[in-house]
Amino acid sequence: MLKLEARPEPSKWMSIASPLLALAITVLIGVVLFVLLGKDPVRGLQVFFVEPVKNLYALSELTVKATPLVLIALGLAVCYRSNVWNIGAEGQFVVGALAAGWVAMQAPSLAWMGRGIVVVILFAGVLGGMVWASIVAALRDRFHANEILVSLMLVYVAEMVLGWLVYGPWKDPNGYNFPQTVTFDAVTKIPRLVDGLRANIGVVIALVAVLGFWAFMFRTYRGFQLQVGGLAPAAARYAGFSSRSALWTSLLLSGGMAGLAGGLEAAGPLGQLTPYVPAGYGFGAIIVAFVGRLHPVGIVFSGILMSMFYIGGELAQSRLGLPKSLTGVFQGLLLFTLLACDTLIHYRVRSWRAARAKG
């Protein structure tokens, strides 16, 4: 018989090993799922973990998926470390894409800007995400509304605004009645890193953001204030740290990063706005943030892993005849097993006999 015994102090080793153990358990459960679905488990694992990295083209597609996940997760990490629970990054992503898309559609009248319009597009995306997140901050600050519910409900509001625009005012008159905007001019497209591949400068922006957030979170006084406010609110108040300032700072940073990801997506791989702009990155980034231990470097690796799940789900649908929802299954399994494995940070597994002998 086994039992859980409280550790004298949290295990630093297990805090690092827990995500790896969770991934291993997820893979094992995935093997069982493939067998139950009548598919070759080796082929299934190959689709999820080998195909996305087997050549340069696959790696390029991996970066297209990983970039928005990493950017959004960086902002969410600041929120969660500050004990501010932003669950609505998907809505901020959509509004960022809308703001960036609006600027991109003005390209004919802004021809004098040349390629410089890309900077304006990305800035508009950041601003759009921050405006949407500021609604959450204002309602929490002024009326003590629950930021979890408000941010989540605003996701559906953002999606309805997107639908109204692409079915109505922004609908392409020459688009054969499809719900989509005009295709953005070539000058507005996010520059690609290599001709023939879809990897773009969003990868560089994401890596710079990782370094910037690492420095902000662990090397600045402001980052220290946010983390103290999240870990020990009473101590933060005693030290004179403003919880109101932490609320606004974390939500605006989070919204801005989600909006930036939306702008990169709209003016990058999509090249126009459609009802399919919401790709689930805002929700997937929550898992990325926690699997990465709310640390910028860890978020890079967990973002790559999560993007492999996205690509693997698409390949499983086309090559194995499995539902695309398998992506969500793997994401959910990873989060569930991570939460279970995190128990071992504070507890150790002991046999009843060993525990009795120790007592």
Side-chain angles (χ1 to χ4, degrees):
M1 295 289 290
L2 301 176
K3 66 172 290 187
L4 290 177
E5 179 183 274
R7 296 180 184 271
E9 59 183 23
S11 169
K12 293 182 179 179
W13 182 85
M14 271 308 305
S15 67
I16 298 173
S18 178
L20 301 176
L21 180 59
L23 176 60
I25 296 173
T26 299
V27 170
L28 290 176
I29 297 175
V31 169
V32 175
L33 284 176
F34 285 127
V35 171
L36 293 176
L37 292 170
K39 305 296 180 181
D40 180 4
V42 175
R43 177 59 177 155
L45 293 179
Q46 181 183 7
V47 163
F48 273 89
F49 297 104
V50 177
E51 294 291 334
V53 296
K54 72 174 185 178
N55 54 41
L56 190 60
Y57 174 81
L59 289 172
S60 171
E61 294 300 304
L62 193 68
T63 64
V64 171
K65 299 288 187 183
T67 296
L69 289 169
V70 169
L71 288 172
I72 300 171
L74 287 172
L76 292 178
V78 173
C79 269
Y80 299 156
R81 282 182 175 271
S82 306
N83 203 25
V84 177
W85 298 96
N86 178 15
I87 308 297
E90 183 79 354
Q92 294 142 29
F93 173 88
V94 171
V95 174
L98 287 175
W102 180 82
V103 174
M105 287 188 288
Q106 312 309 310
S109 59
L110 298 174
W112 57 272
M113 296 187 66
R115 291 293 281 167
I117 194 174
V118 172
V119 177
V120 181
I121 289 171
L122 296 183
F123 178 77
V126 172
L127 187 61
M130 292 177 73
V131 167
W132 209 244
S134 70
I135 299 175
V136 182
L139 292 175
R140 165 68 186 273
D141 184 25
R142 181 69 179 83
F143 302 104
H144 305 289
N146 186 300
E147 74 272 17
I148 296 175
L149 295 177
V150 173
S151 61
L152 182 59
M153 292 301 101
L154 282 175
V155 172
Y156 304 104
V157 175
E159 291 177 351
M160 286 188 285
V161 171
L162 169 66
W164 171 67
L165 289 172
V166 298
Y167 277 95
W170 290 2
K171 187 176 182 179
D172 182 5
N174 300 316
Y176 302 100
N177 207 35
F178 285 102
Q180 61 190 26
T181 64
V182 296
T183 302
F184 302 151
D185 290 352
V187 72
T188 68
K189 299 296 180 65
I190 303 299
R192 296 185 177 184
L193 296 178
V194 181
D195 290 338
L197 300 176
R198 294 206 302 163
N200 56 51
I201 61 169
V203 179
V204 179
I205 294 174
L207 292 177
V208 172
V210 168
L211 294 175
F213 271 78
W214 175 84
F216 173 74
M217 293 165 68
F218 302 112
R219 290 295 183 272
T220 67
Y221 183 62
R222 184 60 181 151
F224 173 73
Q225 286 181 320
L226 294 177
Q227 294 194 65
V228 171
L231 293 171
R237 287 193 297 271
Y238 180 79
F241 298 163
S242 171
S243 60
R244 183 183 185 189
S245 176
L247 170 71
W248 280 92
T249 300
S250 58
L251 278 172
L252 290 179
L253 273 175
S254 180
M257 295 304 290
L260 174 60
L264 285 168
E265 189 74 5
L270 297 180
Q272 62 181 165
L273 297 177
T274 73
Y276 305 106
V277 168
Y281 292 138
F283 295 117
I286 298 174
I287 302 176
V288 170
F290 280 105
V291 173
R293 315 314 269 166
L294 304 182
H295 191 286
V297 176
I299 283 171
V300 172
F301 292 103
S302 60
I304 293 172
L305 175 63
M306 193 61 60
S307 62
M308 291 172 71
F309 286 167
Y310 274 102
I311 294 174
E314 295 171 357
L315 293 176
Q317 182 182 27
S318 61
R319 299 185 182 182
L320 302 180
L322 294 173
K324 191 178 178 181
S325 57
L326 198 62
T327 299
V329 172
F330 271 94
Q331 291 177 353
L333 281 174
L334 182 61
L335 180 60
F336 178 79
T337 54
L338 177 68
L339 294 174
C341 292
D342 277 355
T343 304
L344 299 177
I345 297 175
H346 301 281
Y347 296 87
R348 61 164 61 96
V349 179
R350 300 289 294 272
S351 68
W352 279 100
R353 182 177 299 175
R356 187 179 302 171
K358 184 179 178 180

